[in-house]
């Protein structure tokens, strides 16, 4: 990795554990593949997408390249990159939202492949639309997370896609010859019957988990929220496509909702969902690392369908982090309503991190609990 020691990188403020790492074989292979292409390029002609914790960006910075454009959908990735840059005395990169300015005139893109094909399609579309005609896209991933469909998706935006040899259980796809589409499919939109007077319209950009679909666990949770405490404000923690925030605002006309997610795509999707359902005036959407932007004891009601993935890794740490955040932010008597896959057995953790927890409902797959903050 150029002159960067990858062992010096941390994941913080994302979850840290012995089996979770700040870099992987795909980072190393991507940088090795890019090496001969870097000659003669200045940093402003390079874009880095989905750099998990800074291994790609800071390796380029260690070579003296400045002005590299960076897009990371999760806020935890941005913060980890900034923390690592500060600790290593590196910098000079520029963060950008996903869109035309991220790729305008770019000639080399280093991309860690996303889990979602929709996310990959949206990213590839923006590159093809805005980058230089001779742009080279190097897209890497671990073999266990890659599928032939990724080649096909890249092939919708580029004339040529080739797969490199696998090394250390990672592979790089190379895409050239951008072929901009006349229009994009994104954002996606679907309507769902959830027992409201009108269908709930969900809107989602490519990087939003689950797209514009109604999550099965969330569908189970929604009607049960009528039993949640009366309050003036509520928090949709990990708002995704905005289902819970929009439902609460529509179901309770006097309610103000704060919707938070660390994903830039999810924040844009929730805002679009709020607008599509006519409740944007009562939903405040924030990109946040959990609930770090909310004060202790400030919330009356928090609703959460916790994720169980951190990137491509299945790990309970992210749910525990969100439970702890909810416990800190809830006021005395405040409630956390949670839906979770029953086999995960979260109730002891909820009781420890939030407060007394009771089961509200259970079906063959999901459990809904309410935890009450005491004292």
């Amino acid at each position: 990795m150029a002159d960067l020691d990858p062992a010096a990188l941390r994941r913080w403020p994302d979850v840290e554990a012995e089996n979770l790492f700040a870099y992987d074989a795909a980072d190393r292979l991507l940088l090795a593949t890019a090496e001969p292409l870097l000659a003669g390029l200045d940093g402003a002609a390079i874009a880095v997408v989905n750099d998990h914790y800074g291994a790609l960006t800071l390796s380029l910075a260690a070579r003296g390249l400045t002005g590299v454009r960076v897009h990371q959908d999760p806020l935890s990735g941005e913060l980890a990159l900034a923390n690592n840059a500060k600790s290593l005395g590196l910098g000079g990169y520029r963060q950008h939202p996903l869109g035309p300015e991220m790729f305008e005139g770019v000639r080399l893109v280093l991309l860690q492949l996303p889990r979602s094909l929709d996310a990959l399609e949206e990213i590839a579309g923006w590159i093809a639309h805005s980058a230089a005609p001779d742009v080279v896209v190097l897209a890497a991933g671990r073999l266990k997370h890659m599928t032939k469909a990724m080649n096909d998706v890249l092939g919708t935006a580029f004339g040529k896609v080739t797969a490199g040899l696998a090394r250390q259980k990672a592979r790089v796809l190379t895409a050239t010859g951008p072929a901009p589409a006349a229009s994009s499919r994104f954002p996606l939109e679907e309507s769902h019957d959830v027992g409201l007077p009108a269908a709930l319209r969900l809107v989602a950009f490519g990087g939003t988990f689950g797209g514009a679909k109604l999550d099965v666990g969330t569908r189970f949770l929604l009607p049960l929220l009528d039993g949640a405490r009366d309050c003036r404000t509520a928090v949709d923690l990990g708002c995704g496509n905005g289902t819970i925030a929009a439902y609460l605002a529509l179901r309770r006309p006097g309610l103000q909702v704060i919707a938070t997610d660390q994903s830039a795509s999810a924040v844009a999707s929730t805002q679009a969902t709020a607008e599509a359902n006519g409740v944007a005036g009562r939903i405040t959407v924030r990109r946040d690392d959990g609930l770090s932007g909310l004060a202790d004891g400030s919330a009356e009601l928090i609703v959460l369908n916790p994720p169980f993935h951190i990137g491509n890794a299945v790990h309970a740490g992210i749910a525990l982090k969100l439970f702890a955040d909810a416990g800190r932010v809830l006021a005395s008597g405040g409630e956390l309503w949670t839906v979770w896959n029953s086999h995960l057995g979260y109730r002891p953790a909820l009781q420890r991190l939030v407060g007394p927890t009771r089961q509200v409902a259970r079906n063959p797959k999901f459990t809904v609990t309410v935890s009450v903050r005491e004292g």
Side-chain angles (χ1 to χ4, degrees):
M1 291 188 182
D3 297 322
L4 178 71
D5 176 9
L9 299 175
R10 289 188 59 188
R11 298 167 55 95
W12 183 256
D14 205 352
V15 175
E16 296 190 302
E18 288 186 1
N19 62 335
L20 296 175
F21 303 95
Y23 65 96
D24 61 19
D27 289 316
R28 290 191 290 268
L29 183 55
L30 195 51
L31 288 163
T33 307
E35 182 70 29
L37 301 176
L38 293 174
L41 289 182
D42 61 32
I46 303 170
V48 177
V49 184
N50 289 347
D51 190 0
H52 298 151
Y53 303 100
L56 302 174
T57 303
L58 297 180
S59 290
L60 296 174
R63 297 175 61 105
L65 290 164
T66 60
V68 173
R69 283 173 259 189
V70 181
H71 172 73
Q72 295 162 284
D73 182 65
L75 181 59
S76 59
E78 279 193 23
L79 296 175
L81 169 55
N83 291 340
N84 285 323
K86 182 177 180 180
S87 68
L88 296 170
L90 297 170
Y93 63 89
R94 296 180 293 161
Q95 288 280 0
H96 287 272
L98 186 63
E101 69 179 32
M102 172 65 189
F103 302 109
E104 185 176 0
V106 160
R107 297 180 58 205
L108 177 64
V109 177
L110 306 186
L111 166 64
Q112 272 273 13
L113 285 162
R115 292 177 61 221
S116 159
L117 293 177
D118 281 348
L120 180 58
E121 180 183 344
E122 188 175 34
I123 292 165
W126 279 119
I127 298 171
H129 178 271
S130 305
D134 63 348
V135 66
V136 176
V137 179
L138 302 179
R142 302 298 302 277
L143 291 178
K144 62 183 178 180
H145 303 308
M146 296 177 71
T147 66
K148 177 63 166 60
M150 291 176 171
N151 302 52
D152 298 336
V153 169
L154 284 171
T156 65
F158 294 89
K160 184 178 180 181
V161 179
T162 58
L165 296 175
R167 264 169 53 190
Q168 296 182 314
K169 299 181 180 180
R171 190 187 302 277
V172 172
L173 305 178
T174 301
T176 55
S183 60
S184 169
R185 292 194 304 127
F186 302 99
L188 308 173
E189 183 171 339
E190 294 185 16
S191 295
H192 303 274
D193 180 5
V194 292
L196 295 169
L200 181 65
R201 297 171 61 191
L202 300 181
V203 185
F205 292 89
T208 301
F209 181 77
K213 299 186 181 304
L214 177 57
D215 177 82
V216 179
T218 299
R219 182 184 282 278
F220 181 50
L221 168 69
L222 292 180
L224 300 170
L225 292 176
D226 284 348
R229 61 168 292 173
D230 290 333
C231 55
R232 294 168 297 175
T233 61
V235 178
D236 178 3
L237 173 55
C239 55
N241 62 20
T243 300
I244 292 171
Y247 179 88
L248 286 172
L250 290 166
R251 191 70 173 168
R252 302 186 182 199
L255 187 69
Q256 295 287 327
V257 181
I258 298 170
T260 77
D261 203 294
Q262 70 157 335
S263 162
S265 180
V267 166
S269 298
T270 295
Q271 186 64 50
T273 290
E275 292 167 0
N277 290 281
V279 289
R282 291 192 290 114
I283 296 177
T284 301
V285 190
R286 298 179 178 178
R287 188 173 181 229
D288 200 355
D289 180 27
L291 296 175
S292 63
L294 297 185
D296 294 3
S298 62
E300 303 168 274
L301 172 65
I302 299 173
V303 183
L304 169 64
N305 181 349
F308 53 88
H309 283 90
I310 304 176
N312 285 315
V314 177
H315 199 280
I318 186 63
L320 301 181
K321 176 180 177 178
L322 295 177
F323 296 162
D325 258 9
R328 175 185 64 80
V329 170
L330 280 173
S332 178
E335 296 178 351
L336 169 66
W337 285 67
T338 311
V339 59
W340 37 275
N341 291 75
S342 298
H343 73 274
L344 295 173
Y346 281 148
R347 188 168 177 177
L350 286 163
Q351 294 196 154
R352 182 178 77 254
L353 296 170
V354 183
T357 298
R358 65 178 173 87
Q359 178 177 299
V360 176
R362 185 184 179 105
N363 67 15
K365 188 171 183 181
F366 297 103
T367 297
V368 174
T369 55
V370 55
S371 307
V372 180
R373 183 65 173 168
E374 292 185 322

